[in-house]
Amino acid sequence: MAELELTRGKIQDTMKAVRFHEFGGPEVLSYETVPVPQIRPGEALVRVKAASINHVDLLVEEGRLFSIQLPHIPGADVAGVVERISGAGSDEGIIGKGVVAYPVLACFHCRNCVSGNHNVCLSYRYLGRDVNGSYAEYVAVPAKNLVQMPPNMSFQEAASIPVAFLTAFHMIMRKAKVQRDETVLVLGAGGGIGVASIQMAMIAGANVIAAASAEEKLKKCYALGADYTIDYSKKDLVEEVMDITGGRGVDVVIDPIGSATFSKSLASLAKNGRLVVCGITSGSQAAFNIRDVYVHQREILGTITGTMPDFLEVIRLAAERKLRPVIDSIYPLSGAAEAQKRLLSRKSFGKIVLSA
Ligand SMILES: [Zn+2]
């Protein structure tokens, strides 16, 4: 029996997409005409209105950490319109709606998924890494990953939310369990995760110290609501943190940077402090003194993305205007390589978006 398939209107057979045929930096990206993805039962075809750039896209392109089938379309963040759904029992009401996608392609039935921990799914897959992603005019996404966009929000803003705010929410609310009046140090504060973490720490009622490597970015962090800022290209991070906290240290450090900051992040913690690591933009190796961890009863917490319930919370917060996507710049899909170069230049503040 043929599977039910519902389509909103005529869809072309081909689309524009950004793919790579070999591994490397942004220069391997190529703007091409490719077939529109075929969807399988349970999937939806989303017409991409905006996609945002994440560091993971660059790791995918490098090809060192993940096994990627070539050619490949990157992109984990998408906001768009549902054009087609497939499979009996699909929610017909979602056709034509503006949606964002939970980027974790969880199985939803392993023991971790069943207990609500989709970001540690035993067969964890990721949009734009394990399947083709959103640097395209259309992307196929499991229908159960789609959530209606917050109202009164542009597609560009909506596409800036999923990976950054989901990761920030999981780190601050679920892992570090930040409490009111605690102090949170956010490193890489001008990045997508950094900007989201500042906002999420404020929602938790914490005091926020934003640290970045340019005065210009720090002014923007201050405008976002950070209580203190540190330019760690000019000043010693740990000394500044101790100055601000009266020698106590911070309760939580959010560190998406990795090698370059890990030991300083650890040294910035108060007793019982929690260091949350979520990325390796400067490299993945670090050496540290184990005694510095246990003597002060500190914790090192690893996180990756967040769970589906976390994602729903993030979208609710966005709908209530409690969080605010911050867009650095918008490029056309054909400008994906330039957009990624801007991310690598470290001059951006907030999210870089590809727009249809
Ligand atoms: Zn699972």
Side-chain angles (χ1 to χ4, degrees):
M1 195 178 84
E3 277 287 353
L4 176 76
E5 187 166 289
L6 292 168
T7 303
R8 188 158 83 118
K10 174 113 181 78
I11 297 173
Q12 308 286 329
D13 295 333
T14 61
M15 65 174 185
K16 291 294 186 187
V18 173
R19 299 199 295 187
F20 55 95
H21 297 256
E22 57 180 320
F23 297 117
E27 70 283 353
V28 300
L29 295 180
S30 155
Y31 183 64
E32 301 174 349
T33 300
V34 305
V36 168
Q38 299 286 321
I39 56 169
R40 294 176 301 182
E43 288 187 331
L45 184 68
V46 176
R47 180 159 51 94
V48 179
K49 304 288 281 184
S52 78
I53 310 260
N54 291 290
H55 271 283
V56 69
D57 306 345
L58 292 149
L59 296 176
V60 166
E61 278 155 46
E62 281 177 12
R64 283 185 297 116
L65 297 179
F66 315 112
S67 80
I68 306 293
Q69 286 195 330
L70 297 174
H72 183 78
I73 303 171
D77 269 335
V78 59
V81 176
V82 177
E83 294 290 340
R84 177 179 284 166
I85 54 171
S86 175
S90 297
D91 174 13
E92 295 175 28
I94 201 166
I95 290 188
K97 295 279 173 31
V99 293
V100 285
Y102 174 57
V104 178
L105 308 175
C107 76
F108 287 91
H109 56 70
C110 73
R111 67 182 196 183
N112 289 351
C113 282
V114 167
S115 61
N117 298 300
H118 312 99
N119 56 336
V120 283
C121 173
L122 295 176
S123 54
Y124 185 95
R125 296 185 314 138
Y126 197 71
L127 185 63
R129 188 189 84 179
D130 303 288
V131 299
N132 282 325
S134 58
Y135 288 21
E137 289 181 313
Y138 292 91
V139 62
V141 182
K144 62 173 67 157
N145 282 53
L146 298 176
V147 176
Q148 278 196 42
M149 266 171 53
N152 307 317
M153 185 171 276
S154 69
F155 286 105
Q156 290 94 339
E157 287 177 310
S160 304
I161 292 177
V163 171
F165 281 96
L166 175 64
T167 306
F169 183 92
H170 194 73
M171 288 193 289
I172 299 219
M173 305 298 192
R174 300 280 182 246
K175 276 288 187 178
K177 297 184 172 67
V178 171
Q179 304 294 307
R180 180 165 295 281
D181 295 330
E182 285 195 313
T183 301
V184 177
L185 169 64
V186 177
L187 302 187
I193 299 257
V195 165
S197 297
I198 290 171
Q199 295 187 46
M200 213 53 83
M202 287 166 56
I203 291 170
N207 304 306
V208 179
I209 305 174
S213 57
E215 194 56 42
E216 183 79 359
K217 291 186 196 179
L218 292 171
K219 280 184 190 156
K220 291 178 181 170
C221 292
Y222 197 68
L224 260 185
D227 300 282
Y228 305 92
T229 60
I230 300 173
D231 182 345
Y232 50 47
S233 68
K234 295 207 176 95
K235 292 184 173 163
D236 182 78
L237 180 69
V238 182
E239 278 178 21
E240 290 293 305
V241 164
M242 292 306 162
D243 245 20
I244 291 168
T245 58
R248 194 181 79 90
V250 295
D251 301 291
V252 172
V253 179
I254 300 297
D255 187 348
I257 298 177
S259 299
T261 50
F262 186 88
S263 60
K264 294 205 169 208
S265 293
L266 200 54
S268 298
L269 288 175
K271 289 179 184 290
N272 275 338
R274 293 91 81 198
L275 166 55
V276 192
V277 290
C278 63
I280 50 165
T281 58
S282 70
S284 59
Q285 299 293 318
F288 62 94
N289 188 328
I290 296 164
R291 192 170 179 277
D292 288 342
V293 177
Y294 74 79
V295 164
H296 303 292
Q297 206 166 262
R298 292 163 171 160
E299 294 173 68
I300 300 170
L301 305 169
T303 70
I304 184 157
T305 58
T307 69
M308 187 69 188
D310 294 342
F311 188 62
L312 296 174
E313 277 293 293
V314 162
I315 299 306
R316 183 183 62 78
L317 288 168
E320 291 173 1
R321 298 264 148 199
K322 288 183 178 154
L323 59 83
R324 184 159 67 92
V326 175
I327 295 176
D328 169 77
S329 47
I330 298 173
Y331 290 77
L333 181 59
S334 58
E338 289 309 309
Q340 288 194 345
K341 284 176 190 165
R342 172 140 180 99
L343 184 66
L344 286 173
S345 77
R346 305 170 64 98
K347 289 183 180 145
S348 54
F349 184 85
K351 296 289 288 181
I352 301 167
V353 178
L354 303 176
S355 189

Tab-separated table of all heavy atoms in Angstrom, residues 106-110 113 121-123, ligand 1:
chain	number	residue	atom	x	y	z
A	106	ALA	N	17.021	11.904	17.312
A	106	ALA	CA	17.000	10.834	18.303
A	106	ALA	C	16.087	9.702	17.841
A	106	ALA	O	15.177	9.929	17.042
A	106	ALA	CB	16.512	11.386	19.638
A	107	CYS	N	16.354	8.493	18.351
A	107	CYS	CA	15.501	7.362	17.945
A	107	CYS	C	14.163	7.390	18.666
A	107	CYS	O	13.192	6.812	18.213
A	107	CYS	CB	16.228	6.044	18.201
A	107	CYS	SG	16.283	5.541	19.944
A	108	PHE	N	14.099	8.058	19.819
A	108	PHE	CA	12.898	8.201	20.640
A	108	PHE	C	12.441	6.883	21.266
A	108	PHE	O	11.382	6.811	21.846
A	108	PHE	CB	11.738	8.864	19.882
A	108	PHE	CG	11.929	10.345	19.661
A	108	PHE	CD1	12.542	10.828	18.513
A	108	PHE	CD2	11.514	11.277	20.610
A	108	PHE	CE1	12.740	12.189	18.312
A	108	PHE	CE2	11.706	12.639	20.418
A	108	PHE	CZ	12.311	13.103	19.268
A	109	HIS	N	13.244	5.787	21.130
A	109	HIS	CA	12.809	4.550	21.789
A	109	HIS	C	13.915	3.805	22.540
A	109	HIS	O	13.653	2.787	23.166
A	109	HIS	CB	12.081	3.617	20.808
A	109	HIS	CG	12.881	3.263	19.585
A	109	HIS	ND1	13.981	2.457	19.650
A	109	HIS	CD2	12.725	3.627	18.297
A	109	HIS	CE1	14.479	2.328	18.422
A	109	HIS	NE2	13.747	3.033	17.584
A	110	CYS	N	15.170	4.274	22.479
A	110	CYS	CA	16.202	3.610	23.290
A	110	CYS	C	15.984	3.985	24.754
A	110	CYS	O	15.176	4.853	25.070
A	110	CYS	CB	17.604	4.006	22.822
A	110	CYS	SG	18.090	5.683	23.266
A	113	CYS	N	16.422	7.715	25.420
A	113	CYS	CA	15.328	8.525	24.863
A	113	CYS	C	14.052	8.370	25.684
A	113	CYS	O	13.376	9.358	25.984
A	113	CYS	CB	15.046	8.127	23.413
A	113	CYS	SG	16.240	8.791	22.235
A	121	CYS	N	20.967	9.897	23.194
A	121	CYS	CA	20.374	8.770	22.466
A	121	CYS	C	21.481	7.779	22.098
A	121	CYS	O	22.566	8.181	21.671
A	121	CYS	CB	19.688	9.286	21.196
A	121	CYS	SG	19.100	7.974	20.104
A	122	LEU	N	21.202	6.496	22.260
A	122	LEU	CA	22.232	5.483	21.992
A	122	LEU	C	22.557	5.398	20.502
A	122	LEU	O	23.583	4.854	20.118
A	122	LEU	CB	21.791	4.128	22.544
A	122	LEU	CG	21.657	4.112	24.081
A	122	LEU	CD1	21.113	2.773	24.570
A	122	LEU	CD2	22.991	4.421	24.762
A	123	SER	N	21.662	5.916	19.668
A	123	SER	CA	22.014	6.015	18.243
A	123	SER	C	21.937	7.486	17.812
A	123	SER	O	21.314	7.819	16.816
A	123	SER	CB	21.108	5.131	17.387
A	123	SER	OG	19.753	5.432	17.652
B	1	ZN	ZN	17.416	6.986	21.422
